[in-house]
Amino acid sequence: MMKQMCPSMKSHIVYIFLSVLTVLVIACTEEDSFTTSATNELTFSADTIKMDTTFSTVPTVTKTVWVYNQSGDGIRCANVRLKNGNQTGFRVNVDGIYLGKEAGYQVNDIEVRNKDSIRVFVELTSAMNQKEVPTLVEDDLVFTLESGRQQSINLRAFSWDADIWHDVEIAEDRTIASTKPIVIYGGMTVKEGATLTIAAGTTLYFHQDAALNVAGRLVTQGTAEKNVVLRGDRIDHMFDYLPYDRVPGQWQGVHFTKTSFNNELNYTDIHSAYDGIVCDSSGVEHPKLKLYNSVVHNCQGYGLLTYHNVVDIYNTQLSNVLENCLCVIGGKVSLRYCTLAQFYPFDARRGVTLFFTNTYGDQPYPLESLEVRNCIITGYDDDELVRASIDGVEEHFLFDHCLIRTPEVKDDERMTNNIYEDPEDHESGSEKNFLLMDIDNLIYDFRLATGSKAIGAALVLPDTPTDRLGVARPAQPSMGAYEYVAPPPEPEKEEKPET
C-alpha cells in the first residue's frame, strides 16, 4: 500500500518543477529572440565564392558557403537576393530555397537563430562573352537584415568561350585550326578513308566519356612553340593546390583501329587520359604511327600500347602511368632520344616503364625489331625494363646508348653501350635525373638535372638535330627527349671592405 506524501514534500516537488519550467521558458525565450540592432551581424565561412575558370554555357560544379550567427541574438534576413538578378548566370539556393525567376531571384524572411547556421549553394552557367580570353563574371549575394544592414558574399568566376561539339564524326578530309577551346562530348571518330589534321596551337578538351577514335588517319601539326594539346575538359580544381588537369583518367585517350595507317603526331601533348594511345594490330606492311616531339603523360591505363605495328618514336616523353609507359607486343618499333619515366604516384602496383613481348595470351606476335637508341628508361622500381618472350617466335631487339634502370646485362650483343642505373644510387639515379619531381603538387619536369649520367652520353644521330623543345643538340648530345641545359651561374657575391 502506497504511503501518502506529506504537504511539505509536495510543496518542495512543485517548487522544483516550477523552477525547471521557468528556466526552460527563459532559455527558449532567449534562443527565439530576434534583434533589429544594427550592431548584430552574420558571419560567413567565406566572403568570396570562386568558381575557377569555366567554359561558357557549361554548368559548373556546386560550391557551398556557411552563414553563421554568433551575435548573441537571432537575426532575420528581410531579404536575400542576387544583386544582378539573372544577368550573370549564377544560381543560388539559400537554406533549401531556390532563388529562381518566380521569386524574383530572392527570398524573404530567412531566420538564422543565435548560435545556428544556414547553408548556401552556388552554381554558374555563364553566357558567351564573345572574347578569346577568359572574362570575369561576378555578382553579389546580398543579405538585407531586419535592422536594414546589408552584408554580401561575392560570387566570381572566369568564363571562357568554347565551341561545344557532340558526337563528332569526320567522314572526309578536314582540318581543325582554332585558338578557341573545343570541348568534345560523346567522342570524336575519324572514319576509314578520312584524314583529320589538327593545326598548331589547337586544344581539344574531351569530356570524361569521350575518346578520339581513328579508323582513318590523324595528323597533328604542332610546333615547339605551339603544341597540339589533347586533354580532359575539367578546368577547375579538385583541391586548391590540385587542378583536375593533373589527375589521370579525365578522358578516354586516342585509339587507332586496325584500319588506321600513316598517322603522324608531331609536337603533341596528350595527358591525363585513361589510355594515352592504343594502336590495334595492323601488321607490318604499312607504318602505323609516327610519334615525334610529343608527350604522353599521367594516364590511368597505358601510355602507348601497340599490337604488332610499325611505330616510330623520337624526341618523345612517355611518363607516369598505371600500366606500362610503353607496351610493345610484336611488330617493328623504333625509339630515338626518348624519355620513358615511370613515377606514377597514385598506385604502388603500377606497371614498368617499358614492357616488350613476342606473344599475347596464346597468340604469337613476332617481334621483328625493337630498336631503342639514346633513350632514358627509369622509374621507382629496381627493374623498369621487362621482357616476356616464348621460344619459337621471332624476336629481335637492340638497346644502344641508353640509360636503363635494370640489372646490368653483360655479353649480349643486343644490349650495347648502355648505362645501368644502380638502385642504390640516390644521388643521380631514378628521380634525381630530372629537374623537378614535385609529388605533393603532381608537377613534373623531365628535363635533365645537373649530375644525371645521361648528360653527354648519347650517340650522335644526324636526323635529330634538336630536342623536343627545339633546343639544338651539341656535338656530344644527351640521352632522352630533352638536351641538358646548364643552369646560369650564380652571380658572384660582392666583397664588402672591412671596416
Side-chain angles (χ1 to χ4, degrees):
M1 188 175 186
M2 187 170 64
K3 297 181 180 179
Q4 290 186 348
M5 289 185 183
C6 66
S8 61
M9 184 178 293
K10 287 182 180 179
S11 300
H12 185 65
I13 292 174
V14 170
Y15 174 77
I16 294 174
F17 174 76
L18 291 175
S19 299
V20 171
L21 183 61
T22 301
V23 170
L24 290 174
V25 170
I26 292 172
C28 291
T29 302
E30 289 179 350
E31 185 179 344
D32 292 339
S33 66
F34 289 86
T35 182
T36 58
S37 171
T39 60
N40 292 63
E41 64 178 8
L42 301 170
T43 55
F44 306 124
S45 60
D47 294 328
T48 302
I49 297 181
K50 298 178 181 179
M51 307 296 291
D52 295 322
T53 300
T54 180
F55 290 124
S56 305
T57 75
V58 177
T60 68
V61 296
T62 302
K63 297 279 189 173
T64 64
V65 62
W66 287 95
V67 180
Y68 301 106
N69 179 6
Q70 299 169 340
S71 70
D73 289 291
I75 295 177
R76 284 194 183 95
C77 300
N79 179 276
V80 183
R81 62 185 175 84
L82 279 167
K83 183 177 179 179
N84 295 315
N86 67 337
Q87 301 303 305
T88 54
F90 285 101
R91 299 184 301 281
V92 178
N93 182 298
V94 178
D95 199 28
I97 302 173
Y98 175 58
L99 278 59
K101 180 179 179 180
E102 295 78 9
Y105 305 99
Q106 60 183 331
V107 61
N108 300 322
D109 300 323
I110 290 289
E111 295 182 350
V112 188
R113 298 178 183 275
N114 183 38
K115 298 181 182 178
D116 202 353
S117 61
I118 61 174
R119 199 174 186 183
V120 174
F121 300 86
V122 180
E123 297 175 344
L124 170 65
T125 302
S126 57
M128 300 289 283
N129 56 57
Q130 310 305 322
K131 297 180 180 178
E132 290 192 358
V133 295
T135 301
L136 178 64
V137 177
E138 65 177 333
D139 205 341
D140 288 320
L141 184 63
V142 181
F143 294 75
T144 302
L145 312 186
E146 273 192 337
S147 64
R149 181 170 183 171
Q150 289 190 339
Q151 297 179 256
S152 64
I153 300 173
N154 183 244
L155 315 178
R156 58 192 291 123
F158 282 89
S159 176
W160 197 5
D161 280 1
D163 291 328
I164 310 297
W165 296 356
H166 294 267
D167 301 312
V168 182
E169 290 191 354
I170 310 296
E172 57 187 24
D173 293 355
R174 179 177 175 182
T175 297
I176 297 175
S178 178
T179 56
K180 182 188 293 187
I182 298 172
V183 183
I184 310 294
Y185 286 87
M188 174 181 281
T189 300
V190 182
K191 295 288 190 178
E192 187 174 356
T195 297
L196 171 62
T197 302
I198 305 177
T202 301
T203 300
L204 302 184
Y205 296 79
F206 291 85
H207 199 56
Q208 188 170 20
D209 61 348
L212 175 51
N213 295 302
V214 184
R217 183 172 180 240
L218 175 64
V219 177
T220 61
Q221 298 177 330
T223 66
E225 296 76 23
K226 295 182 179 180
N227 279 202
V228 169
V229 180
L230 309 177
R231 52 157 291 176
D233 69 339
R234 293 293 296 268
I235 55 176
D236 54 330
H237 283 66
M238 175 179 282
F239 306 111
D240 289 342
Y241 70 93
L242 182 62
Y244 275 99
D245 194 39
R246 295 184 208 150
V247 179
Q250 295 301 302
W251 63 294
Q252 298 303 304
V254 182
H255 179 200
F256 296 106
T257 70
K258 65 179 181 179
T259 61
S260 179
F261 301 97
N262 297 315
N263 299 286
E264 298 180 11
L265 306 186
N266 200 18
Y267 288 106
T268 299
D269 179 353
I270 299 171
H271 64 269
S272 298
Y274 187 78
D275 291 317
I277 301 174
V278 175
C279 297
D280 289 348
S281 177
S282 298
V284 293
E285 290 75 26
H286 306 283
K288 181 76 170 185
L289 172 64
K290 294 180 179 179
L291 182 64
Y292 298 160
N293 305 299
S294 295
V295 169
V296 181
H297 176 68
N298 194 31
C299 299
Q300 199 173 350
Y302 290 92
L304 171 55
L305 170 62
T306 172
Y307 296 91
H308 201 235
N309 295 296
V310 178
V311 177
D312 186 30
I313 311 170
Y314 84 79
N315 272 355
T316 288
Q317 170 191 321
L318 304 174
S319 53
N320 291 23
V321 304
L322 178 59
E323 299 296 340
N324 309 128
C325 295
L326 174 61
C327 183
V328 177
I329 302 174
K332 295 181 178 180
V333 178
S334 63
L335 291 89
R336 304 180 308 283
Y337 285 116
C338 291
T339 296
L340 281 62
Q342 177 59 302
F343 299 99
Y344 188 75
F346 299 99
D347 196 326
R349 298 169 296 177
R350 57 189 166 263
V352 298
T353 305
L354 173 53
F355 175 88
F356 66 99
T357 182
N358 62 0
T359 182
Y360 181 72
D362 297 329
Q363 180 70 33
Y365 282 87
L367 186 63
E368 299 193 19
S369 66
L370 171 62
E371 293 189 1
V372 184
R373 300 180 188 274
N374 291 355
C375 293
I376 298 172
I377 302 166
T378 190
Y380 281 131
D381 292 343
D382 292 349
D383 191 355
E384 291 289 355
L385 177 63
V386 174
R387 166 194 173 204
S389 60
I390 60 173
D391 296 334
V393 179
E394 186 176 5
E395 180 188 56
H396 301 282
F397 64 86
L398 173 67
F399 290 81
D400 180 62
H401 284 85
C402 294
L403 175 64
I404 312 174
R405 193 172 182 84
T406 194
E408 183 175 357
V409 179
K410 297 181 179 180
D411 302 324
D412 190 335
E413 61 185 9
R414 299 171 299 183
M415 306 289 290
T416 57
N417 305 300
N418 297 312
I419 300 172
Y420 295 94
E421 266 192 2
D422 182 357
E424 301 301 320
D425 181 4
H426 302 296
E427 298 299 323
S428 62
S430 190
E431 67 267 33
K432 297 296 184 181
N433 282 295
F434 306 113
L435 207 56
L436 179 62
M437 303 288 288
D438 185 349
I439 299 172
D440 292 333
N441 295 290
L442 303 180
I443 301 173
Y444 299 86
D445 187 338
F446 288 102
R447 289 177 293 170
L448 292 175
T450 301
S452 171
K453 291 183 173 65
I455 297 171
L459 177 70
V460 176
L461 299 177
D463 60 342
T464 50
T466 59
D467 75 352
R468 180 187 130 63
L469 299 176
V471 177
R473 293 195 182 273
Q476 190 57 57
S478 301
M479 299 170 176
Y482 306 98
E483 184 55 55
Y484 173 69
V485 178
E490 295 184 2
E492 295 183 4
K493 297 181 179 179
E494 293 184 8
E495 295 186 7
K496 296 182 179 180
E498 294 182 3
T499 57

